[in-house]
Amino acid sequence: MKELVFPGDKVADTPQRIPGCYVEDGQTFASNVALRSDDHIVQLKGYYVPKTGDDIIGIVEEERFSGYNLALNSPYGSSLSARDTRDELKLGDAVYCKILAVNEVKEAVLIEPQKLPTGSMLAIDSVKVPRVIGRNGSMLDTLSKFTGSHITIGKNGIVHVEGGNTSLALKAVEKICRESHTSGLTERITQMLENESRANGGQGEQNG
Amino acid sequence: MAAKGQREDGRGPLDYRAISVNKGFAPNAEGSCLASIGKSKVLAGIKFDVMAPFADRPTEGVVMVNAEFSPMAHPEFRAGPPDAQSIELARVVDRGLRSAKIVDTENMLLMEGKVQGIFIDLYVLDHDGNLIDTAALAAMGALQDSKVPKFEDGKIVRGSNSGNLKLNDAVVCTSFEKIGKNIMVDATDAEEIASSGRLSLSTANGDLICSSQKSGAAGFSKDEYMQMIDWSFEKRKELLSKLG
Amino acid sequence: MAGKVNKMVEKADLFKNGKRIDGRTPMDLRPLKITAGVLDRAQGSCLVEWGRNKVIAAVYGPHEVLPKHLADPTKAIINARYVMAPFSGQEEHGRSGPNRRSIEISKVAKHVFENAVLVEQFPKTMIDVHMEVLQSDGGTRVAGITAGAVALADAGIPLRDMPVGLSAGKIGETLVLDLDKYEDNLGDSDMPFVILPRTGEILLSQMDGMLSREDISQAFDMIFEGAKKVRDKQIEALKTSYERMAAQVTTQGETNQ
């Protein structure tokens, strides 16, 4: 049974850490519009706040003497030290990184950078990332299979697509985000990918 | 400290600091009053003039309140156009006077299209908290000090005096600050910084509220609100006695 | 709703035989319609049509604070802006942009949102809440804040609860809810309030007129009762916006075939 909860609605009589909820006087209340099912609560919209250990995609937005500042699709920025970077990075480059630490004003320190090849990118709401990946990566597998694209997703909601039918891949990701809170999504996405890739003369078409 | 209900200067939560009211401080003005509460000082000056009435009240006189936060009053005050804080202060004082109909604006028509205007300027000279109560006191004192000039043929005769300005009753304002769960009156600058919210209540006619202004992020419960109303009636007597 | 009310209204007309000038009882609100997600670009938005008022709110952020020195390392700061369009009143063309009244209202609205938004989740950022009165007919500040609350929820900004704005007032000896322009101008008191329904906290209180302790106590009880109706409309707006998104699925599915 699914129902919507709204800011101020009580969701538990005990204090619990649930995304989109907060604790006051030992009880848990919704802080966001969210879809509540028997065992969990999924908020419909949110903002990415850097967390230690997250794998993210950052976009180089500033080059400094000692390293780079990367935009994270977040109110907060991040920095990557030049010492940790083998590749020379340019403004606009997409880099897959891990968050080593987050300082007191929520700026992230990044490590283990992997420069991503030139491709197409899309910034989505980070609360939708689990839907795009799917259970055990199933949605992502479906997307790759039909588009022939190599798709990388950061926890912060930046989606990087390279090779294959990139425009179809991005279109499918947008559709997943738009319809993430509805049932039968996997079937509809599969259907759409089947129809469109057939219309475009099969998978693997190069137009990126 | 204040969060535990104790105050740095040893006052109880409902104690005002020393209050003084000095009417006639700037005698070139038709009315003036320097009011101080603790170290906070506000000078109110009043000038009369002839002006066009407001379109929706063509026969009524006009009372205007303006506040200047002088840069001499606090290291963080800057000269320049009025900011939200000074506009709020002026409008809170204005609403109190207006609601209680302290000035009889219906007797200020000079001729068609011309009415008496009363300009009340509030100069904040020294800021150690509770500027709203201090400014309201200064404004009331200045009104009580005002001599109405003569008006002839729709013109003001500067320096003339046709008698004291007639006033209905007196308005005073008491501001409450919430620090932690405690509520106190007459906060100092330091207490205001610690405060999460304020309620200013203006009183008139003994036991009527004529304006309220909630400011700051904190919320108040209905019980707290009603309690503050009772306290404001109590404090009204003290403030009126200082106005003389 | 009725068109322009041009007839001259006298104070004596405001309350007769238990009914107000537009036929309402003291507790009745004007027709209220709230729509969430009315703007494309803003992160969250809301249109409130309340009687003849039309107020639109839009939310941007959290984003970097500009100017930078205003940033607070412990919480997000709220930039609330209430303005009236120059054509919004029945009178002459107003002046564009903020005036003393709107600057004061923006300030108290900011305090409301500072309380309701879980600002400590977004230190060093700024959240903008823009409220524009497109047509005014009394009670625009409470309509604006009610709209701002829905726009914040629509934007996905975490809130303790959605603030609800509603005004009470006094006509002669009668206390009423939700004053229109005539009741505001000719009545004896106007008391705009904003409350948080869950905790009953009072986040905004302004008033003019002369009121006794009992008047104010009764006004609060009326406000808490009336606010439930406004809260229901806020929820309905967010629910409808969600259902609208869900409904788009089928139509898009069809066009994709």
Side-chain angles (χ1 to χ4, degrees):
Chain A
M1 189 52 212
K2 284 187 174 181
E3 56 160 1
L4 285 170
V5 293
F6 300 94
D9 288 352
K10 195 203 278 185
V11 297
D13 289 318
T14 52
Q16 293 185 30
R17 275 183 77 115
I18 307 171
C21 298
Y22 69 102
V23 171
E24 195 171 286
D25 299 329
Q27 299 175 322
T28 309
F29 301 92
S31 60
N32 288 67
V33 184
L35 204 54
R36 177 192 201 172
S37 46
D38 299 329
D39 57 340
H40 66 300
I41 291 176
V42 182
Q43 65 190 92
L44 301 183
K45 274 189 181 178
Y47 296 88
Y48 181 71
V49 176
K51 271 204 298 292
T52 302
D54 279 1
D55 294 315
I56 54 87
I57 296 174
I59 315 286
V60 179
E61 63 172 356
E62 197 177 352
E63 228 176 306
R64 288 179 292 109
F65 174 68
S66 56
Y68 305 91
N69 291 343
L70 277 69
L72 295 187
N73 187 33
S74 163
Y76 301 102
S78 67
S79 62
L80 174 64
S81 165
R83 269 178 313 168
D84 297 327
T85 321
R86 246 176 308 155
D87 306 297
E88 177 102 358
L89 299 175
K90 295 192 308 297
L91 294 188
D93 279 349
V95 190
Y96 190 77
C97 298
K98 189 180 274 304
I99 296 181
L100 170 70
V102 177
N103 72 10
E104 66 279 7
V105 291
K106 307 211 178 198
E107 286 156 355
V109 178
L110 306 175
I111 48 162
E112 300 173 15
Q114 295 169 43
K115 186 178 161 183
L116 295 169
T118 307
S120 299
M121 274 183 293
L122 181 65
I124 63 170
D125 191 326
S126 61
V127 303
K128 312 279 190 188
V129 168
R131 281 302 248 167
V132 178
I133 294 173
R135 203 156 286 174
N136 301 319
S138 58
M139 186 70 90
L140 207 49
D141 289 345
T142 308
L143 289 172
S144 302
K145 189 179 112 195
F146 281 100
T147 60
S149 301
H150 189 261
I151 303 169
T152 315
I153 303 176
K155 260 204 150 167
N156 57 330
I158 295 183
V159 181
H160 179 272
V161 182
E162 183 250 329
N165 188 345
T166 51
S167 63
L168 178 58
L170 293 176
K171 196 170 156 188
V173 170
E174 279 177 343
K175 185 175 167 74
I176 295 168
C177 293
R178 217 168 33 233
E179 304 178 11
S180 64
H181 50 276
T182 61
S183 52
L185 180 62
T186 314
E187 292 76 50
R188 277 200 312 282
I189 294 294
T190 312
Q191 181 81 53
M192 171 212 167
L193 289 167
E194 264 175 9
N195 291 341
E196 299 246 338
S197 53
R198 200 178 304 135
N200 290 337
Q203 55 164 269
E205 189 210 358
Q206 298 289 327
N207 66 346
Chain B
M1 190 165 185
K4 290 194 213 120
Q6 295 167 335
R7 305 181 76 165
E8 230 169 352
D9 49 13
R11 280 185 291 152
L14 297 181
D15 294 342
Y16 267 91
R17 293 166 288 178
I19 299 169
S20 81
V21 170
N22 181 358
K23 292 180 194 169
F25 183 87
N28 274 355
E30 270 95 48
S32 67
C33 176
L34 176 66
S36 67
I37 299 183
K39 285 184 261 176
S40 287
K41 279 187 183 58
V42 179
L43 172 63
I46 291 181
K47 279 284 183 185
F48 282 71
D49 215 329
V50 177
M51 61 187 295
F54 287 123
D56 55 343
R57 295 173 194 248
T59 59
E60 284 182 33
V62 174
V63 178
M64 301 249 255
V65 182
N66 183 49
E68 290 278 338
F69 284 26
S70 166
M72 74 177 74
H74 195 273
E76 279 172 23
F77 289 174
R78 295 278 173 271
D83 67 352
Q85 199 189 351
S86 68
I87 289 171
E88 180 184 42
L89 178 136
R91 289 179 60 87
V92 169
V93 171
D94 180 79
R95 275 202 294 275
L97 297 171
R98 205 174 290 273
S99 292
K101 299 195 168 69
I102 292 300
V103 177
D104 185 8
T105 51
E106 276 160 31
N107 270 324
M108 289 163 65
L109 177 68
L110 297 172
M111 57 176 65
E112 200 186 326
K114 281 186 179 175
V115 297
Q116 292 180 29
I118 299 180
F119 294 87
I120 305 175
D121 283 286
L122 302 168
Y123 264 57
V124 175
L125 301 178
D126 214 344
H127 170 26
D128 186 26
N130 200 13
L131 291 179
I132 293 183
D133 296 7
T134 315
L137 204 59
M140 200 59 233
L143 283 167
Q144 291 175 338
D145 180 54
S146 288
K147 315 281 181 290
V148 183
K150 290 182 180 141
F151 291 88
E152 285 167 9
D153 305 327
K155 288 201 181 87
I156 188 166
V157 184
R158 290 281 171 209
S160 63
N161 179 355
S162 71
N164 292 341
L165 176 64
K166 265 180 62 191
L167 300 170
N168 307 313
D169 194 33
V171 166
V172 290
C173 182
T174 297
S175 295
F176 300 87
E177 301 280 347
K178 191 175 192 177
I179 304 183
K181 287 199 181 324
N182 294 299
I183 291 174
M184 60 186 66
V185 300
D186 186 29
T188 61
D189 185 28
E191 285 170 334
E192 283 181 358
I193 290 166
S195 163
S196 55
R198 168 196 305 147
L199 183 71
S200 300
L201 294 171
S202 298
T203 52
N205 278 5
D207 56 356
L208 293 175
I209 300 290
C210 58
S211 105
S212 84
Q213 179 86 344
K214 152 80 214 321
S215 205
F220 292 103
S221 69
K222 184 189 168 186
D223 288 345
E224 288 172 330
Y225 202 110
M226 299 316 293
Q227 179 71 76
M228 287 185 275
I229 289 179
D230 292 338
W231 285 334
S232 72
F233 294 144
E234 233 173 81
K235 289 289 124 186
R236 171 176 173 79
K237 294 176 200 140
E238 179 180 345
L239 292 163
L240 282 183
S241 73
K242 306 289 180 185
L243 274 171
Chain C
M1 274 309 290
K4 263 199 175 117
V5 187
N6 284 322
K7 65 176 181 216
M8 281 296 287
V9 177
E10 301 281 340
K11 187 176 172 185
D13 300 334
L14 290 181
F15 195 75
K16 277 183 189 163
N17 309 320
K19 288 279 166 71
R20 294 153 72 177
I21 187 157
D22 54 3
R24 284 186 287 158
T25 67
M27 285 298 289
D28 285 343
L29 308 188
R30 291 171 287 179
L32 171 60
K33 185 179 170 207
I34 306 183
T35 316
V38 292
L39 299 177
D40 180 55
R41 200 62 195 260
Q43 265 135 334
S45 60
C46 175
L47 175 67
V48 163
E49 295 164 274
W50 195 335
R52 301 178 67 254
N53 288 312
K54 286 191 209 300
V55 185
I56 196 163
V59 167
Y60 282 89
H63 58 75
E64 196 185 2
V65 180
L66 288 171
K68 270 188 172 166
H69 70 269
L70 294 177
D72 185 330
T74 66
K75 59 180 195 282
I77 59 172
I78 304 282
N79 169 36
R81 177 175 157 275
Y82 161 102
V83 285
M84 290 181 91
F87 49 80
S88 61
Q90 285 191 31
E91 302 79 16
E92 71 282 0
H93 180 256
R95 262 193 287 169
S96 307
N99 55 26
R100 289 166 64 86
R101 174 180 173 277
S102 69
I103 290 169
E104 186 199 356
I105 293 175
S106 298
K107 180 176 186 287
V108 290
K110 170 191 162 97
H111 298 317
V112 167
F113 297 128
E114 280 171 340
N115 182 298
V117 173
L118 294 170
V119 285
E120 58 290 347
Q121 289 191 12
F122 297 103
K124 265 198 131 179
T125 65
M126 180 185 242
I127 297 167
D128 304 319
V129 187
H130 302 290
M131 294 158 282
E132 305 247 6
V133 179
L134 307 180
Q135 174 152 302
S136 69
D137 190 35
T140 56
R141 86 193 66 183
V142 295
I145 292 169
T146 299
V150 174
L152 281 163
D154 181 48
I157 307 264
L159 298 162
R160 288 171 64 211
D161 192 1
M162 271 187 291
V164 172
L166 181 58
S167 68
K170 200 175 177 189
I171 302 170
E173 288 305 307
T174 311
L175 287 166
V176 299
L177 282 183
D178 186 27
L179 285 73
D180 69 15
K181 187 175 156 56
Y182 293 111
E183 293 176 325
D184 182 0
N185 288 356
L186 298 172
D188 296 281
S189 170
D190 175 28
M191 292 175 267
F193 287 110
V194 175
I195 62 154
L196 276 195
R198 182 170 77 70
T199 56
E201 282 165 274
I202 297 147
L203 301 190
L204 179 149
S205 159
Q206 298 184 290
M207 68 177 62
D208 55 36
M210 300 281 267
L211 296 148
S212 69
R213 186 187 195 284
E214 287 63 41
D215 288 335
I216 295 172
S217 177
Q218 195 192 330
F220 275 131
D221 295 339
M222 292 168 69
I223 288 281
F224 288 128
E225 190 57 34
K228 291 177 192 161
K229 295 179 195 161
V230 183
R231 160 101 183 162
D232 286 348
K233 297 279 185 176
Q234 288 178 314
I235 299 288
E236 197 182 304
L238 291 166
K239 202 177 257 173
T240 307
S241 153
Y242 163 80
E243 281 160 2
R244 205 165 51 220
M245 277 197 299
Q248 274 175 3
V249 170
T250 32
T251 48
Q252 272 166 3
E254 280 155 16
T255 53
N256 280 340
Q257 299 299 311

